[in-house]
Amino acid sequence: MANMIIEFSKYAIIIFMAFYTLECFTVFKYATEEERNGIYIRQNVLMFLIHFVSFAVLCLETKNSMLIIFYALQQITLFATIALYRVIYPKANRLIINNMCLLLTVSFIILTRLSYDRSVKQFKIVVVSTALTMFIPYLVKKIKVISKFSWIYALAGIGALGIVMILGQVTNGSKISFTVGGYTFQPSEFVKILFVLAIAGMLAKSTDLLHIFITACVAGAHVLILVCSKDLGSALIFFIVYFVMIYVATKNPLYLLLGLAGGTGASVVAYRLFSHVRVRVQAWKDPLGTIEDAGFQIAQSLFAIGTGGWFGMGLEQGAPNKIPVVEADFVFAAVSEELGGVFGACLILVCVSCFVMFMNISMKLKDDFYKLIAVGLAVMYAFQVFLTIGGVTKFIPLTGVTLPLVSYGGTSVLTTLIMFAIIQGLYILRMDDHVRKTKKGKQSRRE
């Protein structure tokens, strides 16, 4: 009987996820949050069904009664997050809230499957991070001088990266983190946000040649320090985000071409300079030929994805723990093996819908500073998703970055929640501006 339930559950989870994903894009048919209300309610129901069925299977398979309590705590956290946003920020974008909670739900499920202890640790970080970031939309709305401190953001970011370069601990050949009290912190994750704020503030003031040169020097300093720390994944993200923000600010496609040319040249130089880059490229080119050494991770990842097929092995039926560092860099492979390729594709599309909504918000913002912040954060989020999934599926060489809100990693979760909260604040600002204009229009017509 239990085997039948487990077999049925994997198809049920895929169906729920497919309908949730469809609703993510149905949202864009409607102009107002009121018109989308039914979609959001259905998404909430589907998300809670995915969560319930998944943990029911985990409980049946592991016979661990603690999972019932753990599941209940997660449900309370997710429900409280959705409810608090509704109460505190009635004008917030609910697609972003729902997608944020859905991605956290997938993280809770797959991390509990992989490592109960790490899942508990991640859950604690999520609770604290959600509570801390709940105030950010209010701060974005109320503090009108954020754009005045561009150089402070830039200097703080460069300083933090410099400290890590000198004092940070080495992980997989890169200096990227500190460990305090059993928790690992990656300052480069926080610097991503400071970087976007700094570049947005500088470009919002002016886009003449001098300011472009100054911002290029600031961006170059960030990227150079990351390269010296051998954190090439983060360096690539900073590099791409900078050139997209330059293009949006100037509307000059020449900067995109310069970025493409510069990125290509930098990749060649990195390949020549750093041995771990050559190892990753070799593993990417021929993972099976180097399966005893450099290609082991990617080969195991491809085996896992292939074994899962379209519909997955079912929770607790695969062997994702054969992949080293599966909870962080290779969590998508674990998802694909046990929940299936269809579920994995839906997960990617949910991330795409986040990016589309971020860009939709940015295009409707009138203030250049806010517009550039939204663009920068949108590209940063989307490109990190691309790097992670591209590396796991052998589309590109591995870069060592995590899948936002899904992978294990406290710093990554906190910074991604901050990014989502900032976007919410910008959306609320846009809605307030729209309401003011509507009221003025009605008043002028009466007069």
Side-chain angles (χ1 to χ4, degrees), residues 174-185:
S174 306
K175 281 190 176 182
I176 58 175
S177 61
F178 296 104
T179 299
V180 180
Y183 288 87
T184 300
F185 299 90

Side-chain angles (χ1 to χ4, degrees), residues 235-286:
L236 183 58
I237 293 173
F238 279 61
F239 183 84
I240 293 297
V241 168
Y242 169 70
F243 276 100
V244 172
M245 291 179 72
I246 282 284
Y247 170 71
V248 171
T250 64
K251 306 296 190 295
N252 188 344
L254 177 61
Y255 290 114
L256 283 181
L257 295 176
L258 287 173
L260 181 62
T264 303
S267 299
V268 174
V269 172
Y271 180 81
R272 301 287 184 186
L273 287 179
F274 302 115
S275 59
H276 72 287
V277 174
R278 292 193 293 274
V279 168
R280 287 181 177 181
V281 171
Q282 183 60 38
W284 168 66
K285 289 169 63 179
D286 186 17

Side-chain angles (χ1 to χ4, degrees), residues 5 69 103 168 219 272 353 409 444:
I5 294 173
I69 299 172
L103 293 171
R272 301 287 184 186
S353 73
S444 62

Side-chain angles (χ1 to χ4, degrees), residues 194-223:
L194 294 175
F195 178 79
V196 169
L197 293 174
I199 300 300
M202 293 175 184
L203 292 177
K205 290 179 182 177
S206 175
T207 54
D208 60 31
L209 193 58
L210 177 60
H211 275 81
I212 295 294
F213 176 75
I214 292 172
T215 57
C217 291
V218 170
H222 283 80
V223 172

